[in-house]
Amino acid sequence: MAMMNAQQYRDSLARRKPLKVYLDGKLLANPLEHPYIRTSMNTVALTYELAHDPEHRQLMTAKSALTGATVNRFCHLHQSTEDLINKVRMQRLLGQRCGTCFQRCVGLDALNAVFATTFDMDRKLGTQYHARFRQFALAMEQNDWIVDGAMTDVKGDRAKRPAEQQDKDMYLRVVERRPGGVLIRGAKAHQTGSVNSHMVLVMPTVSLKPDEKDYAITCALPSDSEGITYIYGRQSCDERKLGGGEASDIDAGSPTYGGQEALMIFDDVFVPDAMIFMNGETEFAAPLVDVFASYHRQSYGGCKVGNGDVAIGAAASIAEYNGVARASHIKDKIVEMNHLNETLFACGIACSANGRKLPAGNFFVDALLANVCKQNVTRLPYEIARILQDIAGGLMVTLPSAKDWLNPQTAGILKKYLAGAAGMSTYERMRLLRLIENLTMGRGAVAYLTESMHGAGSPQAQRVLISRLANVEEKKVYAKSLALNNSVETVEAAIRSGLGKLRAPKAADAAAPVKA
Ligand code: SF4
Ligand code: FE
């Protein structure tokens, strides 16, 4: 099957069996028609649409490592550092076009992580998962699937391990092993784009001990599988999307696009053997989580930079509508926004350029740099948003409803008193202010800010990896070798043999004056 276009993608979702989706206390009869879901689906559809756009086709597609065919880059096993860089560039492009989360990266990152981990697992344990997963990878690219990567368990009491939880379902687990497959039970939180997906790829979320075999499950299943329930996440100001018409469009801030998160419940769902890629191999849970997390932390150096481009464009535009574009402090603030945003992009590109080939054959990012990238993403978008709000002014949050703008009794008053710079449209000024509100406080802020903080792991998760990967022992050798004036040969030998072993000659200690 060829790559889908946006309409074919929408049609393919409509062909699924009815999904059980609860939203605002109701079971939806037709989830894809709901305004929250429809707008989030528009965002995913962009990943299909731009793949057919002559301008962006090259970036949005890749040559399959499995068949040589042209496939959507979101279904691609990275074959070079150039592929990794193009992934980040593609994510920036999409972030610019939608100003929110386009939801498709989790599946791409899970694809590459499970491909690599199943290879390592087979090699060490003699299991047979990799060939199976290859079949899944092939089906994913040939069907141009959206795959929802389902990692984050609900976790219950954070001080307790999976097997220690009072309610054993706090981490998704195998509850029954049957001939031909398993039954899984549990819930995955914050499931980005899950209702908009064709498949779900379940993975463990923490390192596991040998007695936690039931939690060591990696498997794929259709998103419309019997036993899966979705409970849709509320987002700040999401009701602005309701009602339809121009007033709702204006107040939504960005009417066409949105993100999507849902709580996903697996109630004894059957998974056949052919779709299982880890089943009890606890020692490979941590490597899978780490590899996936690093890929996903790279992703944020692309998507959030694209969202940042929208923020910078909004700041520069609203400055013009407010009549302050030429003020030197405004120009300097926009320089600062660019500086911060490009710093994030530099991290995304650097961890890609410094990537390497894995034993499985696909390419992996520089994990230290990817974690540094995401750590910066937990901070810099907040500063960019702060400057954007500074430039926008308080009207962003005191602006009357669009219904007042459309009401003939108040329209004239608002047109007169909300006017900005001479010759600039008051209507456009109002819409830009709503976009800024959306991006920094509304539904768009879920993607631009909160996801920047917690998506792909909260800040502390990156700090754990940075502390593990940054070789501080070697850095100690650099410092001590200078302080002790060691020869080049001694320093190189110290680095090669266990590090941190540099000492001054014993005689030097002996010669030091002893304090009384
Ligand atoms: Fe992709 Fe960014 Fe959304 Fe994650 S937050 S799915 S990386 S767009
Ligand atoms: Fe995410």
Side-chain angles (χ1 to χ4, degrees):
M1 186 175 165
M3 288 190 310
M4 284 193 275
N5 61 30
Q7 189 54 47
Q8 288 165 330
Y9 162 63
R10 292 174 204 281
D11 295 344
S12 69
L13 287 193
R15 280 196 300 274
R16 294 175 304 181
K17 283 182 265 163
L19 259 50
K20 196 173 170 191
V21 183
Y22 287 93
L23 191 156
D24 263 343
K26 294 190 195 82
L27 179 63
L28 298 181
N30 190 351
L32 300 183
E33 290 303 315
H34 192 283
Y36 301 172
I37 300 178
R38 195 176 57 237
T39 48
S40 73
M41 193 169 61
N42 289 342
T43 320
V44 184
L46 263 183
T47 70
Y48 290 95
E49 202 171 329
L50 294 189
H52 290 274
D53 182 320
E55 180 88 6
H56 302 298
R57 191 180 163 88
Q58 206 181 344
L59 193 57
M60 295 291 306
T61 61
K63 193 170 164 209
S64 163
L66 304 174
T67 65
T70 299
V71 296
N72 193 300
R73 189 174 292 283
F74 279 101
C75 299
H76 181 53
L77 293 158
H78 314 298
Q79 294 303 299
S80 60
T81 52
E82 192 187 349
D83 268 350
L84 291 169
I85 290 171
N86 281 338
K87 172 195 167 193
V88 172
R89 291 172 59 220
M90 168 182 77
Q91 289 166 316
R92 182 173 188 168
L93 167 75
L94 286 160
Q96 290 165 343
R97 296 301 190 272
C98 65
T100 185
C101 163
F102 38 88
Q103 306 150 49
R104 202 172 175 180
C105 327
V106 195
L108 168 63
D109 293 336
L111 165 74
N112 276 275
V114 177
F115 188 82
T117 311
T118 49
F119 184 89
D120 294 346
M121 209 169 5
D122 286 2
R123 210 165 51 161
K124 181 159 183 209
L125 304 178
T127 48
Q128 307 278 319
Y129 294 123
H130 188 65
R132 231 184 232 180
F133 189 72
R134 229 174 212 286
Q135 288 306 311
F136 176 79
L138 189 64
M140 178 173 170
E141 65 175 39
Q142 289 188 334
N143 291 295
D144 209 356
W145 280 332
I146 301 286
V147 174
D148 168 41
M151 180 167 274
T152 310
D153 288 297
V154 291
K155 298 197 193 87
D157 183 342
R158 276 25 175 205
K160 295 198 165 101
R161 300 199 46 80
E164 295 166 355
Q165 299 284 330
Q166 201 170 10
D167 181 341
K168 297 284 181 273
D169 299 341
M170 292 297 100
Y171 287 76
L172 186 138
R173 65 194 174 117
V174 173
V175 287
E176 193 183 321
R177 291 186 164 79
R178 291 178 176 173
V182 300
L183 288 187
I184 57 172
R185 185 191 303 160
K188 293 286 186 182
H190 328 303
Q191 285 312 295
T192 303
S194 50
V195 175
N196 295 333
S197 298
H198 303 97
M199 299 291 288
V200 49
L201 181 52
V202 169
M203 298 165 282
T205 197
V206 286
S207 60
L208 295 168
K209 292 192 168 161
D211 64 345
E212 293 174 322
K213 284 193 182 345
D214 289 344
Y215 299 93
I217 178 79
T218 299
C219 59
L221 55 166
S223 58
D224 59 2
S225 297
E226 179 82 32
I228 298 181
T229 301
Y230 302 82
I231 306 182
Y232 211 80
R234 286 301 305 264
Q235 294 189 335
S236 177
C237 305
D238 52 10
E239 284 179 350
R240 302 272 184 102
K241 295 269 185 197
L242 301 175
E246 194 180 5
S248 138
D249 264 13
I250 293 171
D251 281 348
S254 172
T256 304
Y257 300 114
Q260 175 185 101
E261 311 290 338
L263 177 67
M264 210 171 163
I265 297 101
F266 298 78
D267 189 10
D268 294 4
V269 183
F270 179 72
V271 186
D273 283 338
M275 298 295 251
I276 296 175
F277 315 116
M278 176 193 290
N279 187 4
E281 292 79 8
T282 49
E283 68 179 283
F284 278 89
L288 173 59
V289 172
D290 286 352
V291 171
F292 169 78
S294 292
Y295 275 127
H296 205 41
R297 289 167 193 170
Q298 169 212 27
S299 289
Y300 278 60
C303 75
K304 301 309 174 207
V305 178
N307 293 169
D309 289 327
V310 176
I312 294 166
S317 300
I318 201 65
E320 289 172 0
Y321 285 83
N322 290 349
V324 295
R326 282 206 287 267
S328 61
H329 73 97
I330 296 288
K331 286 186 193 162
D332 190 54
K333 281 169 182 158
I334 289 171
V335 168
E336 178 65 8
M337 293 171 93
N338 277 298
H339 158 67
L340 296 170
N341 205 41
E342 299 303 335
T343 299
L344 299 179
F345 190 52
C347 289
I349 296 296
C351 69
S352 308
N354 228 22
R356 66 186 162 88
K357 190 175 184 175
L358 292 169
N362 57 336
F363 271 65
F364 182 49
V365 292
D366 180 315
L368 174 59
L369 295 185
N371 278 277
V372 168
C373 175
K374 176 67 209 329
Q375 181 78 183
N376 280 327
V377 172
T378 66
R379 300 172 184 176
L380 306 195
Y382 286 86
E383 179 60 10
I384 293 170
R386 189 190 69 76
I387 301 173
L388 173 56
Q389 289 196 342
D390 174 0
I391 294 176
L395 190 57
M396 168 189 73
V397 292
T398 61
L399 193 65
S401 158
K403 286 183 184 148
D404 295 313
W405 174 265
L406 298 171
N407 178 351
Q409 286 171 314
T410 44
I413 303 170
L414 293 183
K415 195 162 183 193
K416 173 180 165 69
Y417 287 108
L418 296 184
M424 302 298 278
S425 154
T426 306
Y427 173 75
E428 288 171 13
R429 181 175 184 234
M430 179 177 69
R431 293 203 70 148
L432 264 171
L433 288 166
R434 285 294 180 220
L435 171 72
I436 295 168
E437 182 196 28
N438 174 277
L439 204 54
T440 61
M441 307 168 72
R443 209 175 168 212
V446 174
Y448 187 44
L449 299 179
T450 316
E451 252 187 344
S452 288
M453 176 71 81
H454 293 294
S458 306
Q460 187 57 23
Q462 290 111 57
R463 298 184 85 78
V464 169
L465 263 287
I466 291 169
S467 118
R468 203 193 300 161
L469 296 169
N471 192 342
V472 176
E473 288 307 308
E474 189 168 314
K475 295 176 207 288
K476 278 160 64 180
V477 173
Y478 305 149
K480 285 165 77 176
S481 68
L482 292 174
L484 301 176
N485 207 18
N486 290 119
S487 69
V488 171
E489 293 77 22
T490 312
V491 175
E492 294 307 317
I495 290 172
R496 278 195 302 273
S497 67
L499 308 170
K501 300 267 177 4
L502 290 185
R503 295 276 181 276
K506 275 230 157 60
D509 271 336
V514 179
K515 277 193 182 160

